Amino acid sequence: MTHEFARIESYFAPLAGEEGLGLKDDAAILRPPPGRDMVLTADQMLEGVHFFSSDEPGLIARKLLRRNLSDLAAMGAAPMGYLLTIALPVRLPEDWLAAFAKGLEVDQAAFNIRLFGGDSSSSKHGIALTATMLGSVAPGQALRRNGANAGDGIWVTGTIGDAALGLEARRGHLAGAHPYLVKRSTLPTPRLGLALAGIAAAAIDVSDGLVQDLGHMARESGLSAVIRADMVPASPEAAALGEAFLETRLTGGDDYELILAVPPGNGERLKEVCGELSVTRIGVFQPGEGVHVLSASETVLDFAASGWKHF
Amino acid sequence: MTHEFARIESYFAPLAGEEGLGLKDDAAILRPPPGRDMVLTADQMLEGVHFFSSDEPGLIARKLLRRNLSDLAAMGAAPMGYLLTIALPVRLPEDWLAAFAKGLEVDQAAFNIRLFGGDSSSSKHGIALTATMLGSVAPGQALRRNGANAGDGIWVTGTIGDAALGLEARRGHLAGAHPYLVKRSTLPTPRLGLALAGIAAAAIDVSDGLVQDLGHMARESGLSAVIRADMVPASPEAAALGEAFLETRLTGGDDYELILAVPPGNGERLKEVCGELSVTRIGVFQPGEGVHVLSASETVLDFAASGWKHF
């Protein structure tokens, strides 16, 4: 048995759902849930692009799953399972793989998902990881990016900007940052399980930064988005760093909170279905185009960086 | 619009099926074909591991799809579409991506498949590509690796070993090799569309080499496999190179032919459903374990390399 097959048998076969056929066949067989549509997304994480070489392998695994799960959350879908491809340098210690697989196991249990299949290979350079996540949704109930209407409120779940500040801290650029911010960068929480159908008209998750992702939603809906910077919710740990980081918070990525378009009058129902998760109205969709960020005195703020670039 | 979004819009959005929502949403939405099971597989191709940097980008794209399609063929499944992740070095010429997308387009038409979604990223090192292919099969009709019974004939489609010889030629190790062998290495043909249910009891595709892949099938079925080396079909172009390359042919990978377990009496029906594609009986499954390769005089041949290692 070659090294590759031994690795699959040791670390990945125990994670496989019955669809995965023990990872011993050419492909997985999945019976779709009757009367549901399937929702599909794929995301990759590369060493030096999406994570640092020194990051804990279990956290890398969990972030890979959670980034994909967040895409399902943004569609209002319920996750089922995933396929995984890994390419690892030959010299990578076996411990790394064991910790990586343990991370997968922890989050498979946390989100009730199963491994369906995948592929393992050697890599000439860094670590390359891909997950393709499958979920399901009731037909017609998926939340699209293009469903916003003029007058809909712009709402966000949780707090915005923590992950970007956490990344700055991990880079050594932000002394005194609270460990909570670092955790928000390394272990985001996908906002699954919110019964948003009939309450929100559109949704997107914040992966590239609030301004950029809100821009996608506005463009796809044929509208402009106007938000008030002072209304964008900050965690106490982010607020403690002061106003100097406003631009980082509003343009930095990796929060994996949801931006929602919510028709007037649906705010209370939104709060109800979100339960303990805070939701905050930060602006409104209007005719026009672009994202307009206003100060508390309603002057227009201009940011040098409207987009997020992975490090 | 950042470079990544411009690329997706230019090259990939035109390839998307309606499930892909124009590649402008968080995920794809797929209505499963009623009364069918879904079949899922994922494979990656990395620069320097699975292809040479100088390979034509369109052929890389097509081989990526075809490797995955071959896994569906080995399950007896019909392909539907795929998700794609690409990680490209920043300095890669735009021409490369245009030719890569063109290759996808050609094989999407050839195999009637659609792009469902995916992800694009920069890479610090080489090119990294992943496809997750989805297909469907009638419930209970998937061909597994573990379905062989003692007495079943071992059959193969097409000819075996061409791709390994073609790879040797591409490496410059095999002067005088026919271009057909190189083409078999760069552009394999997945054996889709054969109505094998009820005729073959088990199947696997030859990706890692005949001996190794047959070994998987034997082990999963709890049997041994006995084959006659002289009965393993060679193309005229491979045969012209002489007997010195027997081991390369039987242990080299990337042929993407099918190995089938066929109960006695089903051979003629197998030939019928394969039509113009040749199928050849090369041995038999027996009680026991391992793969036993016999010469024409039925002495046991021992190969130094039972497995295939990607270059």
Side-chain angles (χ1 to χ4, degrees):
Chain A
M1 190 152 59
T2 67
H3 191 53
E4 182 186 336
F5 297 111
R7 277 183 164 177
I8 292 171
E9 190 153 307
S10 299
Y11 295 112
F12 296 106
L15 301 176
E18 67 174 315
E19 304 89 348
L21 309 175
L23 306 186
K24 286 181 175 168
D25 231 300
D26 293 289
I29 304 176
L30 172 71
R31 181 143 306 171
R36 303 268 292 178
D37 284 350
M38 307 277 297
V39 179
L40 315 167
T41 187
D43 241 332
Q44 55 195 333
M45 283 177 62
L46 306 169
E47 185 177 356
V49 181
H50 303 89
F51 61 89
F52 295 107
S53 303
S54 59
D55 283 353
E56 200 278 304
L59 289 177
I60 296 169
R62 297 170 74 188
K63 187 164 178 179
L64 177 65
L65 296 180
R66 287 168 181 233
R67 286 178 55 178
N68 277 284
L69 289 166
S70 180
D71 282 325
L72 295 192
M75 301 291 283
M80 302 169 60
Y82 66 105
L83 294 93
L84 174 73
T85 69
I86 56 173
L88 305 179
V90 175
R91 293 160 312 181
L92 198 73
E94 198 75 7
D95 282 359
W96 192 97
L97 192 57
F100 179 81
K102 186 69 192 173
L104 295 176
E105 184 187 348
V106 168
D107 269 2
Q108 285 191 204
F111 297 103
N112 191 26
I113 56 176
R114 305 173 294 284
L115 178 61
F116 293 151
D119 183 47
S120 157
S121 169
S122 63
S123 154
K124 293 276 182 189
H125 302 291
I127 300 165
L129 309 164
T130 302
T132 298
M133 187 72 64
L134 285 79
S136 75
V137 69
Q141 297 218 339
L143 289 168
R144 303 280 309 277
R145 293 179 177 183
N146 64 3
N149 294 294
D152 284 353
I154 300 169
W155 294 68
V156 294
T157 61
T159 56
I160 298 296
D162 298 328
L165 296 171
L167 175 58
E168 288 299 295
R170 290 162 70 204
R171 282 169 161 163
H173 298 169
L174 192 57
H178 195 281
Y180 173 77
L181 299 174
V182 171
K183 189 178 174 196
R184 289 272 289 168
S185 166
T186 54
L187 192 65
T189 304
R191 299 307 186 185
L192 291 161
L194 307 175
L196 297 170
I199 297 175
I204 191 172
D205 69 327
V206 182
S207 55
D208 295 330
L210 176 69
V211 170
Q212 184 165 315
D213 290 314
L214 180 56
H216 296 316
M217 214 170 163
R219 188 170 51 249
E220 295 307 319
S221 298
L223 296 170
S224 74
V226 182
I227 60 170
R228 277 265 302 275
D230 61 305
M231 293 164 69
V232 175
S235 67
E237 292 80 0
L241 295 169
E243 278 307 294
F245 295 98
L246 179 67
E247 180 166 347
T248 302
R249 287 182 46 234
L250 269 55
T251 62
D254 263 4
D255 278 323
Y256 301 103
E257 298 292 348
L258 298 181
I259 310 174
L260 303 166
V262 180
N266 282 2
E268 287 310 309
R269 285 171 64 207
L270 176 66
K271 287 180 186 173
E272 269 169 43
V273 299
C274 289
E276 292 185 11
L277 172 64
S278 67
V279 277
T280 310
R281 189 179 182 283
I282 63 169
V284 66
F285 286 103
Q286 294 185 347
E289 59 182 33
V291 176
H292 307 277
V293 183
L294 307 182
S295 70
S297 58
E298 306 235 322
T299 58
V300 175
L301 300 177
D302 261 328
F303 295 133
S306 70
W308 162 259
K309 294 183 182 52
H310 287 288
F311 57 97
Chain B
M1 191 152 59
T2 68
H3 192 52
E4 180 186 338
F5 296 112
R7 279 182 161 178
I8 292 172
E9 190 152 306
S10 299
Y11 296 112
F12 297 106
L15 301 175
E18 66 174 317
E19 304 88 346
L21 309 175
L23 307 185
K24 286 180 173 169
D25 230 300
D26 293 291
I29 304 175
L30 172 72
R31 182 144 306 169
R36 304 269 292 179
D37 283 351
M38 307 278 297
V39 179
L40 315 167
T41 187
D43 241 333
Q44 56 194 331
M45 283 178 61
L46 306 169
E47 184 176 357
V49 181
H50 303 90
F51 61 89
F52 296 107
S53 303
S54 59
D55 284 353
E56 201 277 304
L59 289 176
I60 297 169
R62 297 170 72 189
K63 186 163 178 179
L64 177 65
L65 295 180
R66 287 166 181 235
R67 289 178 55 180
N68 277 283
L69 288 165
S70 180
D71 282 324
L72 295 192
M75 302 292 283
M80 302 169 59
Y82 66 104
L83 293 94
L84 174 72
T85 69
I86 58 173
L88 304 179
V90 174
R91 293 159 313 182
L92 198 72
E94 198 75 5
D95 283 358
W96 192 98
L97 192 57
F100 179 81
K102 185 70 192 171
L104 296 175
E105 184 187 349
V106 168
D107 269 3
Q108 285 191 201
F111 297 103
N112 191 24
I113 55 176
R114 303 173 296 284
L115 178 61
F116 293 152
D119 183 47
S120 158
S121 169
S122 62
S123 153
K124 292 278 181 187
H125 303 292
I127 299 165
L129 308 164
T130 303
T132 299
M133 188 70 66
L134 284 80
S136 75
V137 69
Q141 296 216 340
L143 288 168
R144 302 281 309 274
R145 294 179 177 182
N146 64 3
N149 294 294
D152 284 353
I154 300 169
W155 294 67
V156 293
T157 60
T159 55
I160 298 294
D162 299 327
L165 296 171
L167 175 58
E168 287 300 295
R170 290 162 70 203
R171 282 169 163 162
H173 296 169
L174 192 57
H178 195 282
Y180 173 78
L181 300 174
V182 171
K183 189 178 175 197
R184 290 272 289 166
S185 166
T186 54
L187 193 65
T189 303
R191 300 308 186 185
L192 290 161
L194 308 174
L196 298 170
I199 296 175
I204 190 171
D205 69 328
V206 182
S207 54
D208 295 331
L210 176 68
V211 171
Q212 183 166 313
D213 289 316
L214 181 55
H216 295 319
M217 215 170 161
R219 188 170 52 249
E220 296 307 320
S221 297
L223 296 170
S224 75
V226 183
I227 61 171
R228 278 264 300 276
D230 61 304
M231 295 164 68
V232 175
S235 66
E237 293 80 0
L241 295 169
E243 278 306 295
F245 294 98
L246 180 67
E247 180 166 345
T248 302
R249 288 183 45 234
L250 270 56
T251 61
D254 263 6
D255 279 322
Y256 302 103
E257 297 293 348
L258 298 181
I259 310 173
L260 303 166
V262 179
N266 282 3
E268 287 308 312
R269 286 172 64 207
L270 176 65
K271 286 178 187 172
E272 269 168 43
V273 299
C274 289
E276 292 185 10
L277 172 66
S278 68
V279 278
T280 310
R281 188 180 183 283
I282 63 169
V284 66
F285 286 103
Q286 293 185 349
E289 60 183 34
V291 176
H292 308 277
V293 183
L294 306 182
S295 71
S297 58
E298 308 236 324
T299 58
V300 175
L301 300 177
D302 260 329
F303 295 132
S306 68
W308 162 259
K309 292 178 186 58
H310 287 286
F311 57 98

